[in-house]
């Protein structure tokens, strides 16, 4: 389906189904791999649109009162895709992680070794780490070490 994801695994031969259901089970397995490829393609597109880093800006409203806006592009994506703002931010954040410090997770998903649900769980766990969005060099290094540990689990 996608040229960039041609390293898909086939189902293990020792668990290959026999009988009438064999073709359907193989087809089901392939659709799961295709689903992972689509998820990664969407993650790539989201990071192309929103960037690889969180963008925060303070907007002055009513005199000197400032309002902080995280990822202003989120609203445009949410409206266009008909997603909630919170769901859109989660998708953007997970995409950034999968295209960055969780690249081993992305590779496993592309190869069919894990499912979208596995990748999402790992990204959610990484996103909850306190250092996830720090820009300080020491924090980034510590966060990347935590991500490496998560990907080994």
């Amino acid at each position: 389906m996608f040229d960039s994801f041609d390293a898909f695994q086939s189902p293990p031969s020792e668990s290959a189904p026999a009988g009438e259901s064999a073709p359907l089970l193989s087809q089901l397995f392939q659709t799961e791999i295709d689903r992972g490829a689509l998820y990664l393609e969407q993650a790539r597109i989201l990071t192309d649109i929103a960037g690889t880093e969180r963008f925060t800006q303070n907007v002055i409203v009513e005199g000197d009162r400032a309002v902080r806006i995280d990822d202003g592009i989120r609203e445009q994506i949410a409206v266009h895709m008909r997603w909630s703002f919170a769901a859109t931010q989660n998708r953007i954040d997970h995409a950034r992680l999968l295209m960055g410090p969780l690249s081993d997770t992305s590779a496993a998903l592309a190869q069919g070794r894990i499912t979208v649900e596995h990748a999402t769980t790992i990204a959610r766990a990484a996103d909850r780490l306190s250092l996830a969005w720090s820009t300080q060099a020491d924090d980034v290094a510590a966060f990347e070490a935590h991500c490496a540990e998560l990907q080994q689990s």
Side-chain angles (χ1 to χ4, degrees), residues 5 7-9 32-41 43 98-99 102-120:
F5 298 106
F8 294 134
Q9 286 182 301
E32 189 66 19
I33 291 172
D34 292 345
R35 184 172 164 246
L38 287 170
Y39 184 80
L40 289 172
E41 182 64 10
L98 289 167
M99 296 295 109
L102 295 178
S103 59
D104 289 348
T105 299
S106 294
L109 180 58
Q111 294 165 0
R113 293 185 288 129
I114 63 172
T115 66
V116 169
E117 288 75 18
H118 293 115
T120 302

Side-chain angles (χ1 to χ4, degrees), residues 73-92:
I73 192 72
R74 170 190 61 203
E75 281 75 15
Q76 292 178 20
I77 295 169
V79 169
H80 186 77
M81 297 302 297
R82 297 181 182 170
W83 297 338
S84 73
F85 296 139
T88 302
Q89 188 65 56
N90 284 335
R91 286 182 184 225
I92 291 169

